[in-house]
Every structure is written in structure tokens, then in C-alpha cells.
Amino acid sequence: MKINYCDALVIGGGLAGLRAAVAAQKKGLSTIVLSLVPVKRSHSAAAQGGMQASLGNSKMSEGDNEDLHFADTVKGSDWGCDQEVARMFVTTAPKAIRELASWGVPWSRVKAGPHNAVINAKKTTITEEEDRHGLITSRDFGGTKKWRTCYTADATGHTMLFGVANEALKHDVDIRDRKEALSIIHEDGRCYGAVVRDLITGELEAYVSKGTCIATGGYGRVFKQTTNAVICEGTGAAIALETGIAALSNMEAVQFHPTPIVPSGILLTEGCRGDGGVLRDVDGHRFMPDYEPEKKELASRDVVSRRMIEHIRNGKGVPSPYGYHVWLDISILGREHIERNLRDVQEICQIFNGIDPADEGPKGWAPVLPMQHYSMGGIRTKPTGESSRLAGLFACGEAACWDMHGFNRLGGNSVSETVVAGMIIGNYFADYCLENDVTIPTKTVQKFVDAQDAYLDQILAYNGKEDIFKIKNRMKEIMDEKVGIFRDGPHLEAAVEELKELLQKTKHISVKSKERVGNPELEEAYRVPRMLKVALCVAKGARDRTESRGAHYREDYLKRDDANWLKRTLCTWANPDDIEPTLEYAPLDIMKMEMPPAFRGYGAKGMIIENELSAKRQEEVDSIREKMEADGKDRYEIQDTLMPFELPMNYKDKNERAGDK
Amino acid sequence: MSTQKGREITISVLKFNPRSAVSKPHYVDYKLEETSGMTLFIALNYIRENLDPDLSFDFVCRAGICGSCGMVVNGKPTLACRTLIANYPEGKLTLLPMPAFELIKDLSVNTGKWMDGMSKRVESWVHSDHEVDISKLEDRIDPEVANDTFELDRCIECGICVASCGTMLMRPNFVGPVGLNRVARFEIDPHDKRTADDYYELIGDDDGIFGCMSLMACEDHCPKHLPLQNKIAYLRRKLVALR
Ligand SMILES: Cc1cc2nc3c(=O)[nH]c(=O)nc-3n(C[C@H](O)[C@H](O)[C@H](O)COP(=O)(O)OP(=O)(O)OC[C@H]3O[C@@H](n4cnc5c(N)ncnc54)[C@H](O)[C@@H]3O)c2cc1C
Ligand code: SF4
Ligand code: FES
């Protein structure tokens, strides 16, 4: 057995994992990053639109600050988030973006003088001040009060990922790609690393470490129609679940994005609408103002996605061989804008659909339909990023439920979370690795490796009639059809039952080639059962949550129920032989919130079953604020009294802004 | 779904597992029905799920963004996920793994390992001893300069320029168009304080800037349309002037 020892093990080399690794390496720890693919090819590379940070540099973001970013994030989450974490996040985001700038990410900058923009389908001129020239600029995104989303044209994730990956190389982080974590090594409630398979040689190895951080991204590929890269299978979350100890949280909170292109599911960024693009129906009519007069195309993603489907159900969809869709029209932004700021979008339309979106009129319209996009749920952590149940196991990025997105994430808040969490959680993680030793006996490590070894042999020996690819495809269909944008009890119940059957069927397959090396079917055979476990957490969580909150929308329970459901779902997989997860709930404490639950500002009004504590806490908050303001306290002091929070390093320092007096 | 029957196409793949004692390089023909909008991503997955579960290839984003899926299609290195079958009227596609990289199996090659080596070799990160206080305003960068840096930062390390490069065949140590582009990128970036002399140290030889034979295939094939030849010529003039 080959054992690789290190101080800090990071599983996953997207933005979150790499940034956390830099934090650990900078504290002098020997740090290893594992990834399925070369890290610069991680899914993070696909983020187009941008990263939220309240810099307030450009004209349309004038006056922005942490408080506004916080309020937008909490509302966006439909009050499902952990407000303390949201505060930690908004305070660190401006620092994260400035750090990335110094690492060479070529953020688009403010250019002094007038420039054209399209706002609410009308051409407008915006004039930038001279004293902001050369600072980082930002664009509009859904659900935000100010233009807060910073970008590099429409390749933001790519430039960020290359910036962070290069920084990791600079600090000599030991990056090992084509390595897949198969199980977590743990003993007595503590995590000590992972059993890992080399995807080139097929060899099993143990990675033993003082602490382990999972940053394996989301689980979009349990759905059929998804914007996610093909490696977003959720196996990182699944191996945490399979410990039987660590919990996954809010797995039913799945985001659907309004504008992937049909049929490939490749995303056309929210920046399209942020920059002024509009949605049109079969008659060419711009329908969003009819449903959401205030925010229109820029209501939050869950709302826009549902309105699109609603409009299609009202008979206004465009028929196609792939079912109904609507149109996204960005031609009104003008060719010059598109060729500079939305070039990847243009290329995607041209290559995959033969459309040039800069062509005026219906010729340039792109067919779009909401599809799975983001996993709000994940490995449940404390605000430090450590699993609340398995010591030494940390998680960050999309794989985690650190819980700043609650039940709906705002566009631009995810890549921002990855680097911010990488900074904050990376530091707590590094401290854990500094303070704890490896105490696990080699014998125990051997036991975990042997178990995976035996499992692979067992799979190769299966001699059943089922086909693993068919099982996988059926799972994806079930998730789309029964656990999608609109949900209800009977469909969810059917989904849970059929997913359970599929999980049992994975033991009745046979794998044609018996090779342990370079055998893609074998890889499917051990991944699909893990994906099914994740899918079951999503479906069962959704079935039992009898309310609508954020992206989780129940047609049989239309209201957000703060009286009964202001709580987090926790899923565990108690025994390896179980065929479904065990669910528990952890309440959110209204009396500790800085912003007690209220109306979000978009979507239908009056759809909340209120919790009586909301009004009580609001009164408390108002009176504290009033008193402190009268005493001349500033917004930082007031915030600190309302809801204190901590941050490592100097991340709590005040963020300087060009508009500061 | 459209009920119209698509034409039959043939995809011919060079299969070989260098890690197997018995495997020999050989072509396998797969016949399948074309569907509308079918790309090589869709076709190869169809083949794996229905015809040959043993076929190895690499896709990640399937959207032309991540650079995973470079392969040689009818003689030309290209991104498979952006390759539409409809663009091949004869209905026959021959697929080979990209040359110049270590073969993993079938169509899968180790571009990542090569690119990591390249990144380390040209020290593909910002060099600066200026301590940045991230609570304070960021350094101002002219919007045009930021944009010019971005234009070169768009490289996705797909390796297609490397697989297209004549010099590469003769000099395995050549840093490749991608490496020279990386130097050009940091040379523009005001955050990086390296001088022309520093860059000369990195690439001032025949394995670097003086190795290029200006055959241009790199630029012709680059899926991101990077101005590789221009930048290489610019660097060469700049570095020649030093000695
Ligand atoms: C098309 C698209 C556009 C987007 N645009 C935006 C945007 O504009 N703004 C925004 O804020 N957000 C955007 N998002 C969301 C955002 O990109 C992701 O949420 C974020 O990048 C996730 O980063 P991560 O580091 O958590 O994980 P990822 O980048 O997904 O990285 C996961 C890593 O884990 C590795 N891995 C996975 N499983 C294993 C395993 N078992 N063993 C070893 N390694 C493993 C992978 O190889 C990879 O390195 C977009 C998402 C999509 C799909
Ligand atoms: S320069 Fe172009 S062809 Fe070469 S690796 Fe970069 S994107 Fe690919
Ligand atoms: S799969 Fe990402 S570029 Fe082809």
C-alpha cells in the first residue's frame, strides 16, 4: 500500500480548493491538491458573468457597501441562509477581488467619460467620473441593488481560475491531477485523509493528512438538463455522506438558471440580461415586465425561471424538436458591445446553434430554457468550514453548505464565495492542521484501502443484466421530470421510490471489460451509486419540505412557511446498506438574525406564513439601531451589536472605497 | 424529437492502451445515426454508452471553454466538443490523439502535465515585491491595458497550438506557442515587474523565442484566435534587441 503523507489535503482543484490550498501552504504546511482533471480545467473555468464584490467604483455602483450586499444576499436566499456567514462573506469579498487583481486577474476597468448602456431595453449614456478611471468596474446582475458584479468580459471564471492556479504553482502547492478520491479515512470521529484512485494507472493509494478539505464542486450532473461540466457529479459530497457521520445539508435547494441554450444546455451568462438583454416569447413579445414589473428580467434566478415556464404553460412558448423554449434577445445591445463583452456567448451561439446573436431582429435570438445550474446544498459546515460532526473534515465552495446562499444563490455570488471561502475556511483549515497531529495507525489506513480494493473487485465480478449507463440516464430523467423547477408531493414520492430501485439495481450490472486500468465503464459503475445517493438526498429532502422557499417550489405548498420550515435539512447515510438517507432538521434562530424574515421584494406578495418571532426581532433591531444612531455610532458598530461575527487574518478590516469621505 | 432519420456516419478512432501488455494501436470504426446538432461530444458519448464502453476520451465543459478535448479530427487538431458532425459532408471522421503529448489511452492525452511544466518554466505568475494591502484601493490599471492583458489571458491551455507546431516535432523541449503567449501576457501586465532581461533568461534560446519557424499553424488552429504570431514576432524583436 502506498501512503502519501501531508499536513493539509485538499480534494478538488477548482477556485475554492486552490485558494484554500494557497492559504495552507502560506502557513508553512505541506499541502496536496487532488483533482479529477488538470485543475485549470475545473468547472470554475466555465463561469462567465462575474464575481460580486461591493467596491462601488463605477457610476451605477456608487454608494455600494457590505450592508447592501448583505441585504441582497439574505433576501436572495429567501431567508434560508446563515446570516453570520453572509456577513463574513460580504466583508471579505472586496478583499478577495483586490487580492486577485494583484495576482494578475485582468479585471475590466472603469474608463472615465461617457459610455453607452442598455437599461430596461432603452439605450442610455452613463458618464464615469475622472477619479474612478482605472479602478475595477462592475455590471448589473439579478437580485442586486447596485451594479456589483465584477468581470473580465464573459470569461471571468477562466481568468480567476488561472490567476489562482498560477499563484498555487508559485507557492509550490503540490497539485496532482487525474486522482479521484473514493472514500474518506476516519477514526473516532476524526478525518485523516482519503483513499484515492489514480485515473491513469488505476492504482489505489492512501493520502493521510492532519486535516482534509473537500472542494469538489456541485452535483448538477444528477440532472439531465444542466449547465454543469460533465465532472460535476457530486462524488466528493457523496464520500462525505458515506462516512455515515458527516451530514449533507439543504440538498433540495437546487438552482435552475433561466438562460442555457437549447438543446446543448450550454449557459448563456446572466450578464446577457445584466447588460440589458431581454426575454421574448413565441410572438416576439417581451413578457417579463408583465410578471415582474419592478425587476423584470433581473428578478432573482428562481423567479425568472419559474415565470418562463409559467409563460410557456400559458401557451406562449416556441415549439421546437426539443420541446418548448423562449428567446433571449441580446441583439439590442449592439454588435460592438457583444463582440467585446459577450464574445464567448456569441461563439457558443454561432458554433452550437448557427446563430449570430448580434444580428438584429429574430435572426439573432437564441433559444433558451431553464435548466439545473447550481447546488446550494452540500457538506454541512460550521462558519469555520469544519464539518459539524466529523472533526478535521472541512469543506468549501459549491461542495459545501457553508450556507450563505440559503435556498437561492444570486448570480456572481458563487465564484465570489469560492475565493472568499478559500481565504476564510482555508485559514481555519490551516490552523487546524497546525494544531493537530496524525494519530491514526497504518493498520486502519490499510483497512480503508482494502475496502475500496475489494469493492472494485466486487464490481468487476457482478454478473447481472442491468446496464450502468442506462441506470444513470434514468436517474437523470427522474430528476428532471419529478424533482425539477415545479415540484409536488406525488411526483417527489415517485422519484424517491424509483431512485431507491435504481440504487439497488447498481448491484445487478455487469461490466464488460475486466481491466482495472483505463476502463470508463468501471468508473461509471462506482460513481453512479454515489450519484444516486446524492440524488436521493435531493429528492427526499424536497419531498419532506412542505413549503416553497427560494428555488425549492412546491405547487402543493405555495407559501414560504417561516412558522414551520425556517430550518436546515440535514441528511446522513447511517448504514452502508441503507437505501435512503436519514433526515433531520436544525432550526435557524430568528432572534440572532440581523435581518429577520420579510418579503423578498420580487415574486408574488403575501405568500409567507409568518413566524411571530420575526416582528419581535425586527422591533428589537429597530430599537437598537435607533438608539445607537442617536448616540452617533457608525454602521460598523451598529452591525457588531446586532450580530457579532469573527474573521481570521485581517479580513475584518474596513474596506476602503473611492467614494469614502 | 425530430422523427426524420439522420444519415449514417462513420467515426474511425485510433485505439491504443500503452499500459496494457497486449494492446496494439488499431483503428476501430463505429457506425451511428447522426442527430441534429450532433457534436463529437454527443457522438463519442453515444459510442461509449452503446457501442464500446471501453473507449477513452476527455471532456469537461463540452462548451469550448476548458480546453480538455483537443484531438486530431481528419488531420487537424481541434476541440472535439465544438466539432459539428454536420460540417463533414462525407460523413466520415477519423480521430487520433494529439501528438506531442504523452498518450494516456485512445484519444486521451496528458496535456495537463505538459502545461504545468510550461507554467513553471515560464514562471507563469505575477512577479512583484510590492506588498499589497487588500483592504485598500486596488492599483489603477488603464482599461485598455487591462483589456490587452485579458486578450492574451484567454488561452485555455488546450494544447492545439502545440500539436500543430512544426518546431515541436523537432525540439521536444520547445516551450511552444502557448508558453511564448504566456510570457507576452505577463509582459503587458503592469502588476508583473519582470524586465526584458528576466524574460530573456527564461526564453532567450532556440527552445524558446528563437526556435519558432513561423509556420503559423498554431495561430490558424487556436480555438481562441489568439494573435500568436504577432506576439511571438514582437517578443523576438524585443529580445533580439537585448543582445
Ligand atoms: C456555466 C456556468 C457559469 C457560471 N457562471 C458563474 C458566474 O458568472 N458567477 C458566479 O458567481 N458563479 C458562476 N457559476 C457557478 C460557479 O462557477 C461554481 O459554483 C464555482 O466555480 C464552483 O467552484 P468550486 O471550486 O467549488 O468547484 P469546481 O470548480 O467545480 O471544482 C471542483 C474540483 O473538484 C474536483 N473533484 C470533483 N470530484 C472529485 C473527486 N471525487 N476526487 C478528486 N477531485 C474531485 C474536480 O476535478 C475539480 O477540480 C457558473 C456555473 C456554471 C455551470
Ligand atoms: S494558445 Fe490557443 S491553441 Fe494554444 S493552448 Fe492557448 S488556446 Fe490552445
Ligand atoms: S470539453 Fe471543454 S473545451 Fe471541449
Side-chain angles (χ1 to χ4, degrees):
Chain A
M1 174 183 57
K2 181 164 159 197
I3 304 186
N4 304 272
Y5 287 98
C6 62
D7 296 325
L9 178 67
V10 180
I11 306 175
L15 277 168
L18 288 170
R19 182 60 189 83
V22 169
Q25 187 83 11
K26 272 190 173 173
K27 289 205 176 186
L29 298 161
S30 70
T31 308
I32 294 181
V33 175
L34 305 175
S35 167
L36 298 174
V37 293
V39 291
K40 287 174 180 166
R41 313 219 188 291
S42 296
H43 173 62
S44 290
Q48 302 169 348
M51 154 167 180
Q52 283 205 42
S54 59
L55 297 178
N57 287 330
S58 65
K59 191 82 208 165
M60 297 302 287
S61 61
E62 181 83 50
D64 201 6
N65 63 28
E66 299 83 7
D67 295 350
L68 297 179
H69 192 182
F70 173 76
D72 286 342
T73 303
V74 173
K75 281 185 199 169
S77 82
D78 218 355
W79 274 272
C81 75
D82 182 328
Q83 297 196 4
E84 196 183 324
V85 171
R87 262 293 165 194
M88 295 165 74
F89 163 68
V90 297
T91 309
T92 311
K95 299 178 181 77
I97 201 164
R98 286 169 171 165
E99 179 178 85
L100 290 174
S102 74
W103 292 358
V105 175
W107 297 110
S108 296
R109 301 281 168 151
V110 178
K111 183 172 182 184
H115 63 93
N116 297 326
V118 175
I119 302 177
N120 193 14
K122 281 189 205 67
K123 292 217 163 74
T124 318
T125 303
I126 300 171
T127 305
E128 301 289 351
E129 304 288 343
E130 204 60 53
D131 70 337
R132 304 297 168 87
H133 186 80
L135 295 174
I136 297 169
T137 192
S138 51
R139 58 163 49 133
D140 202 5
F141 251 46
T144 67
K145 275 245 151 40
K146 300 280 176 182
W147 289 24
R148 187 183 297 130
T149 303
C150 306
Y151 59 95
T152 50
D154 59 356
T156 314
H158 165 83
T159 56
M160 289 174 72
L161 184 61
F162 272 51
V164 178
N166 286 334
E167 193 68 14
L169 289 176
K170 170 177 169 178
H171 290 285
D172 267 329
V173 173
D174 186 349
I175 299 175
R176 305 189 182 183
D177 60 42
R178 294 187 190 257
K179 301 267 188 194
E180 175 171 8
L182 296 186
S183 77
I184 296 292
I185 299 171
H186 60 99
E187 190 178 50
D188 301 332
R190 250 199 79 185
C191 170
Y192 292 98
V195 179
V196 173
R197 181 168 179 268
D198 185 305
L199 294 173
I200 298 179
T201 65
E203 188 189 4
L204 287 183
E205 312 163 66
Y207 279 78
V208 174
S209 60
K210 296 172 178 171
T212 305
C213 183
I214 296 188
T216 48
Y219 47 82
R221 285 277 157 180
V222 305
F223 288 81
K224 182 173 172 196
Q225 304 259 45
T226 171
T227 62
N228 284 197
V230 299
I231 56 168
C232 299
E233 301 195 316
T235 56
I239 60 175
L241 181 71
E242 284 182 335
T243 60
I245 304 169
L248 304 187
S249 187
N250 290 354
M251 296 296 281
E252 64 273 33
V254 177
Q255 178 167 81
F256 298 83
H257 194 294
T259 59
I261 199 162
V262 176
S264 64
I266 298 169
L267 187 73
L268 305 182
T269 170
E270 183 158 323
C272 292
R273 281 169 295 133
D275 287 3
V278 297
L279 295 167
R280 299 187 187 280
D281 64 15
V282 66
D283 306 321
H285 169 66
R286 181 185 175 202
F287 58 91
M288 275 310 291
D290 306 343
Y291 295 95
E292 296 292 330
E294 216 165 300
K295 295 240 97 187
K296 307 179 183 74
E297 280 84 357
L298 290 172
S300 74
R301 290 179 177 174
D302 57 326
V303 174
V304 179
S305 295
R306 281 196 294 272
R307 296 304 198 186
M308 288 165 71
I309 301 286
E310 206 178 326
H311 199 59
I312 290 173
R313 285 182 176 180
N314 289 339
K316 294 293 179 189
V318 185
S320 85
Y322 304 97
Y324 289 93
H325 62 75
V326 297
W327 301 113
L328 174 67
D329 174 8
I330 59 170
S331 68
I332 55 174
L333 306 179
R335 185 167 289 278
E336 196 195 321
H337 179 93
I338 293 171
E339 285 177 356
R340 172 164 266 215
N341 286 315
L342 295 169
R343 186 163 30 173
D344 278 359
V345 168
Q346 186 184 31
E347 263 191 26
I348 290 166
C349 292
Q350 284 169 333
I351 292 169
F352 294 94
N353 289 58
I355 296 167
D356 182 351
D359 283 347
E360 275 178 42
K363 224 177 124 203
W365 298 352
V368 293
L369 192 67
M371 295 180 195
Q372 192 287 340
H373 179 63
Y374 183 79
S375 317
M376 270 82 70
I379 300 166
R380 176 73 197 134
T381 73
K382 301 185 270 194
T384 57
E386 189 175 5
S387 157
S388 28
R389 302 180 179 203
L390 187 57
L393 180 72
F394 289 72
C396 61
E398 197 172 337
C401 182
W402 192 34
D403 216 5
M404 50 161 285
H405 304 302
F407 275 71
N408 175 64
R409 148 176 99 82
L410 295 182
N413 256 359
S414 175
V415 288
S416 195
E417 178 197 2
T418 58
V419 285
V420 167
M423 292 163 79
I424 299 173
I425 294 174
N427 268 292
Y428 286 126
F429 168 57
D431 287 345
Y432 178 93
C433 298
L434 285 169
E435 286 156 16
N436 289 278
D437 282 324
V438 170
T439 54
I440 192 171
T442 319
K443 220 169 58 230
T444 316
V445 175
Q446 181 80 53
K447 190 185 80 189
F448 278 92
V449 175
D450 289 349
Q452 288 306 312
D453 197 41
Y455 180 47
L456 295 180
D457 282 340
Q458 188 189 336
I459 292 175
L460 291 172
Y462 285 152
N463 190 14
K465 295 238 168 336
E466 304 290 344
D467 177 324
I468 197 66
F469 294 107
K470 294 215 166 70
I471 293 175
K472 182 179 183 178
N473 289 334
R474 183 61 201 145
M475 166 188 72
K476 290 166 177 254
E477 278 166 20
I478 296 170
M479 294 303 284
D480 272 22
E481 288 163 13
K482 303 192 165 95
V483 200
I485 300 185
F486 290 97
R487 301 170 170 179
D488 67 36
H491 284 99
L492 290 167
E493 176 61 24
V496 171
E497 288 311 310
E498 205 183 331
L499 290 169
K500 288 197 305 203
E501 280 166 32
L502 288 178
L503 182 57
Q504 285 165 313
K505 279 187 185 169
T506 57
K507 294 193 170 136
H508 301 104
I509 57 169
S510 49
V511 176
K512 282 159 216 86
S513 158
K514 302 300 171 195
E515 290 277 342
R516 287 271 293 245
V517 192
N519 182 353
E521 194 182 12
L522 171 65
E523 283 156 19
E524 292 290 328
Y526 64 70
R527 285 174 194 159
V528 172
R530 293 192 176 116
M531 294 174 77
L532 276 161
K533 288 180 185 172
V534 168
L536 271 160
C537 292
V538 178
K540 192 173 174 187
R543 184 194 73 187
D544 289 5
R545 183 173 282 270
T546 49
E547 66 152 356
S548 292
R549 183 180 299 276
H552 170 67
Y553 195 80
R554 287 284 299 253
E555 293 193 281
D556 44 357
Y557 296 92
L558 292 169
K559 292 189 173 175
R560 186 181 95 201
D561 183 354
D562 289 349
N564 297 299
W565 282 105
L566 205 61
K567 49 193 178 192
R568 239 173 239 127
T569 311
L570 295 172
C571 316
T572 45
W573 206 275
N575 297 299
D577 295 331
D578 286 353
I579 50 163
E580 61 183 305
T582 309
L583 303 189
E584 299 160 63
Y585 295 92
L588 293 163
D589 188 350
I590 296 180
M591 297 312 288
K592 287 201 175 134
M593 289 182 184
E594 187 178 331
M595 249 177 86
F599 173 60
R600 286 166 93 190
Y602 33 74
K605 291 201 174 80
M607 296 303 284
I608 306 172
I609 299 172
E610 280 170 35
N611 187 312
E612 53 192 32
L613 291 178
S614 291
K616 188 167 167 219
R617 175 64 179 161
Q618 190 62 53
E619 261 172 47
E620 216 173 77
V621 168
D622 291 344
S623 86
I624 294 174
R625 188 178 293 280
E626 208 173 305
K627 187 162 172 304
M628 291 188 76
E629 274 171 4
D631 290 348
K633 305 284 187 206
D634 68 14
R635 66 184 180 92
Y636 299 98
E637 288 168 303
I638 298 174
Q639 194 286 316
D640 199 47
T641 308
L642 290 175
M643 191 184 67
F645 66 97
E646 279 175 35
L647 280 171
M649 309 285 285
N650 52 354
Y651 296 160
K652 227 183 153 175
D653 288 359
K654 289 181 190 172
N655 295 302
E656 188 188 17
R657 290 189 178 78
D660 288 349
K661 297 279 149 13
Chain B
M1 287 284 153
S2 161
T3 48
Q4 216 186 331
K5 230 177 122 53
R7 62 181 175 152
E8 188 189 75
I9 54 166
T10 307
I11 296 188
S12 184
V13 180
L14 185 72
K15 285 195 76 179
F16 177 46
N17 182 358
R19 267 158 210 89
S20 151
V22 290
S23 176
K24 293 217 164 52
H26 63 292
Y27 282 99
V28 179
D29 285 355
Y30 305 100
K31 289 193 191 307
L32 54 155
E33 186 192 323
E34 185 183 9
T35 53
S36 88
M38 188 184 242
T39 58
L40 269 179
F41 167 72
I42 298 171
L44 287 170
N45 275 292
Y46 178 87
I47 293 171
R48 186 190 275 172
E49 291 183 12
N50 297 285
L51 306 172
D52 182 0
D54 179 60
L55 181 63
S56 293
F57 48 76
D58 294 321
F59 290 97
V60 177
C61 72
R62 56 84 175 89
I65 290 169
C66 74
S68 298
C69 62
M71 55 183 75
V72 180
V73 182
N74 287 3
K76 187 181 147 172
T78 189
L79 293 179
C81 68
R82 305 208 314 190
T83 302
L84 282 172
I85 307 290
N87 292 344
Y88 295 79
E90 63 286 11
K92 185 161 161 58
L93 288 85
T94 304
L95 311 183
L96 304 174
M98 284 202 299
F101 298 100
E102 174 190 294
L103 179 68
I104 295 176
K105 180 174 167 260
D106 304 338
L107 297 170
S108 176
V109 294
N110 208 336
T111 47
K113 183 174 155 194
W114 194 93
M115 292 295 166
D116 272 7
M118 177 278 294
S119 289
K120 285 187 184 149
R121 179 156 156 209
V122 304
E123 300 183 7
S124 170
W125 48 80
V126 166
H127 291 55
S128 168
D129 39 25
H130 164 61
E131 269 296 321
V132 175
D133 182 346
I134 55 177
S135 303
K136 298 281 177 288
L137 280 196
E138 63 273 17
D139 287 347
R140 287 171 200 266
I141 304 291
D142 190 82
E144 295 307 325
V145 175
N147 195 55
D148 290 348
T149 315
F150 168 71
E151 287 296 322
L152 302 186
D153 204 56
R154 292 172 69 248
C155 164
I156 53 175
E157 296 194 350
C158 61
I160 283 173
C161 56
V162 174
S164 310
C165 173
T167 304
M168 226 44 234
L169 295 176
M170 300 183 308
R171 285 182 193 280
N173 282 332
F174 185 47
V175 66
V178 51
L180 298 174
N181 174 68
R182 197 55 60 80
V183 170
R185 179 237 174 274
F186 282 101
E187 205 260 337
I188 304 180
D189 190 342
H191 293 103
D192 196 313
K193 305 299 179 209
R194 277 180 284 185
T195 63
D197 274 314
D198 295 332
Y199 292 125
Y200 197 96
E201 285 301 313
L202 291 176
I203 56 158
D205 59 15
D206 284 351
D207 285 336
I209 195 72
F210 304 117
C212 169
M213 303 186 296
S214 305
L215 298 175
M216 306 271 281
C218 55
E219 185 166 329
D220 290 346
H221 293 167
C222 170
K224 291 283 144 183
H225 316 296
L226 294 177
L228 297 169
Q229 282 305 322
N230 241 333
K231 288 294 147 191
I232 292 172
Y234 164 79
L235 279 179
R236 189 177 353 223
R237 279 197 307 277
K238 182 153 182 152
L239 298 189
V240 157
L242 282 180
R243 301 292 136 113

